[in-house]
Amino acid sequence: MLAFCVSFLVAFLLMRFIKQNVVLADSSKTDLVNVDYAPKAGGLGVILGVCVVFVSDLAQGNLGYFLFYMLGGAVVFLSGFVRDMGFSLPSKICWVLKALGVCLAIVGLDIWLKSLGLGFEIPYTWGVVFSILVIVGFCNAMSVIDRFNGLSGGFALCVCLSMISVAISVDMFSVVNISAILGSAVLGFLALNFPNGKVLLGSG
């Protein structure tokens, strides 16, 4: 609930007070979406919603496993958010930063794609590299579909719900917690993104 409220509040404030700022606004229009100076920094609300829960739970001695997830996620977020702020960041540097953030998260959490279900296990190094490529590609794909109101947030929410379902079945409750917190924060953004696109997710 806390993640939802923070995410919604930040997105709402962006919509109300930064809507006319050309640095943070996407003024382009297409026949597919109805966007009129919609702030494109909704990702800020999502990550702040997750951060508030992380800090409050960490202060109570919980979610220690959450640290690398947040550190890696912050690097990935900032690599895109810099562009949302109107600053120029070469695509190559952006990709490298995303790869470093993802690498920090998966190595720190000791999670990577170990098998494709083909009867053999992927070696550690190749598994880490493959995981980085898949996740960085996924991040860029989310940025692309952000132009369609509700699609990026709805898809992210579906992913979180799927992760919760699978994680419960295999007793991975740390993944349940992370997915539930992220899903709640995404829902806060989605409340203002769909159907009218009052705020966009942005590259962050």
Side-chain angles (χ1 to χ4, degrees):
M1 192 63 184
L2 181 60
F4 172 86
C5 291
V6 171
S7 178
F8 179 85
L9 181 61
V10 171
F12 180 77
L13 291 176
L14 285 169
M15 180 191 70
R16 289 295 301 271
F17 300 112
I18 315 179
K19 198 170 183 180
Q20 300 303 321
N21 189 321
V22 294
V23 174
L24 285 172
D26 186 345
S27 59
S28 61
K29 297 181 180 179
T30 72
D31 294 332
L32 298 176
V33 292
N34 179 21
V35 178
D36 185 14
Y37 290 101
K40 55 179 182 177
L44 179 63
V46 174
I47 198 166
L48 287 179
V50 175
C51 282
V52 168
V53 177
F54 166 64
V55 171
S56 63
D57 282 0
L58 194 62
Q60 300 175 28
N62 300 323
L63 297 184
Y65 58 85
F66 207 7
L67 180 61
F68 286 102
Y69 172 79
M70 286 304 303
L71 290 175
V75 174
V76 174
F77 167 76
L78 289 173
S79 70
F81 190 66
V82 167
R83 288 181 148 184
D84 291 334
M85 292 290 100
F87 297 103
S88 177
L89 184 66
S91 296
K92 290 182 179 179
I93 295 178
C94 190
W95 276 80
V96 169
L97 288 174
K98 286 179 182 177
L100 288 175
V102 172
C103 183
L104 177 63
I106 64 178
V107 172
L109 290 169
D110 195 31
I111 54 171
W112 66 92
L113 193 58
K114 301 179 181 180
S115 171
L116 295 175
L118 301 176
F120 63 90
E121 189 169 296
I122 302 174
Y124 175 77
T125 303
W126 288 106
V128 169
V129 171
F130 186 63
S131 298
I132 291 173
L133 292 175
V134 168
I135 297 173
V136 170
F138 178 79
C139 291
N140 283 278
M142 289 292 291
S143 181
V144 171
I145 64 175
D146 186 35
R147 299 282 305 136
F148 301 87
N149 299 339
L151 185 57
S152 58
F155 179 71
L157 186 60
C158 289
V159 169
C160 289
L161 292 174
S162 299
M163 291 291 290
I164 290 172
S165 176
V166 173
I168 288 176
S169 68
V170 294
D171 297 327
M172 294 182 66
F173 295 106
S174 60
V175 176
V176 173
N177 289 337
I178 288 175
S179 299
I181 294 168
L182 179 58
S184 298
V186 168
L187 189 59
F189 154 76
L190 196 57
L192 292 171
N193 176 252
F194 183 80
N196 297 321
K198 296 181 184 298
V199 63
L200 300 177
L201 196 59
S203 298

